[in-house]
Amino acid sequence: MGETLEEVEVLATEAIAMIESWMNGVKLQIAHHKTEVLLVSNCKAIQRMEIVSAKAMSAIARIMPNVGGPRSSTRRLLASVSSSILRYGVPAWGNALEIKRNRRRLQSAFRLMAIRVASAYRTISSEAVCVIAGMVPICISLAEDIECYHRKDTRNVRKMERTRSMERWQHEWDSTDNGRRPTDSFQTCQRG
């Protein structure tokens, strides 16, 4: 990143031009009137990125109604892009997630995205909708990104951290009752 605001602006403009060029190559277009660039900094006044990102995810969720709308593959693509935007720069702003309210807002926005990907009812549990949508919970993904950043000189760090993330997700799923039947009633259904 740049040292000055002007340098950041030049680098951002170059990055946007590269993205737009790639998108034109695959017959996609940027909706400039719907695009916003955010400056992420360690300054506390600007460290509200997760709130802005949550609003962005909610806006994208509005274009994916539960009934009708884009196909499942398109929904997954939109969710993937939104998650990438959310995850960008997490080593710089991740400490804001130590505040429970910020974590709740982030999880709420991510849950809404997963609901739209799965075309599920809003009463579904967060744990179940992540499993159905095949979307690793956002806090696990962010922790993975932070760990990869801190261990960036370690060989195969992303692969190792992805394995740990999947184990953590499995552990969270195994330890919750939300969105699943109690084991004994499931066994009863199988026997009967």
Side-chain angles (χ1 to χ4, degrees):
M1 289 297 157
E3 295 291 323
T4 66
L5 187 57
E6 292 79 21
E7 190 178 340
V8 170
E9 187 175 335
V10 168
L11 292 171
T13 302
E14 290 173 1
I16 291 169
M18 288 172 51
I19 292 168
E20 190 165 18
S21 173
W22 176 83
M23 289 182 72
N24 288 336
V26 294
K27 297 184 174 49
L28 294 173
Q29 290 182 334
I30 293 177
H32 291 282
H33 64 284
K34 296 180 181 178
T35 306
E36 182 177 355
V37 177
L38 301 173
L39 174 64
V40 180
S41 168
N42 281 339
C43 300
K44 290 192 182 235
I46 301 174
Q47 217 170 27
R48 296 178 180 250
M49 181 198 165
E50 73 279 2
I51 296 170
V52 175
S53 296
K55 288 181 181 178
M57 285 186 70
S58 295
I60 290 176
R62 284 193 298 270
I63 67 170
M64 292 192 303
N66 274 353
V67 178
R71 297 180 308 182
S72 175
S73 58
T74 305
R75 290 170 183 267
R76 286 186 189 281
L77 175 64
L78 289 171
S80 176
V81 170
S82 298
S83 295
S84 295
I85 292 168
L86 257 183
R87 293 168 65 179
Y88 180 76
V90 71
W93 59 265
N95 60 349
L97 293 175
E98 293 172 8
I99 300 170
K100 189 175 182 177
R101 184 185 68 212
N102 292 342
R103 221 175 25 256
R104 248 192 341 257
R105 285 180 178 170
L106 183 68
Q107 289 169 333
S108 176
F110 188 79
R111 179 180 181 277
L112 177 59
M113 184 59 61
I115 286 172
R116 298 306 168 102
V117 168
S119 295
Y121 291 109
R122 64 182 173 84
T123 54
I124 191 171
S125 71
S126 297
E127 296 85 359
V129 77
C130 284
V131 170
I132 292 168
M135 296 170 63
V136 178
I138 191 66
C139 287
I140 294 175
S141 295
L142 294 175
E144 176 184 325
D145 291 343
I146 291 170
E147 192 61 32
C148 287
Y149 175 78
H150 290 303
R151 297 177 52 205
K152 61 185 167 230
D153 295 331
T154 306
R155 187 175 183 189
N156 295 325
V157 68
R158 180 58 72 178
K159 185 177 178 181
M160 290 185 296
E161 289 304 319
R162 176 49 51 134
T163 300
R164 286 181 59 195
S165 293
M166 298 309 284
E167 289 169 356
R168 182 175 171 200
W169 188 19
Q170 183 66 52
H171 175 73
E172 285 184 8
W173 176 245
D174 289 341
S175 63
T176 186
D177 290 332
N178 293 336
R180 56 195 309 169
R181 297 181 195 193
T183 307
D184 55 346
S185 66
F186 181 69
Q187 290 173 347
T188 304
C189 291
Q190 284 185 327
R191 279 185 245 143

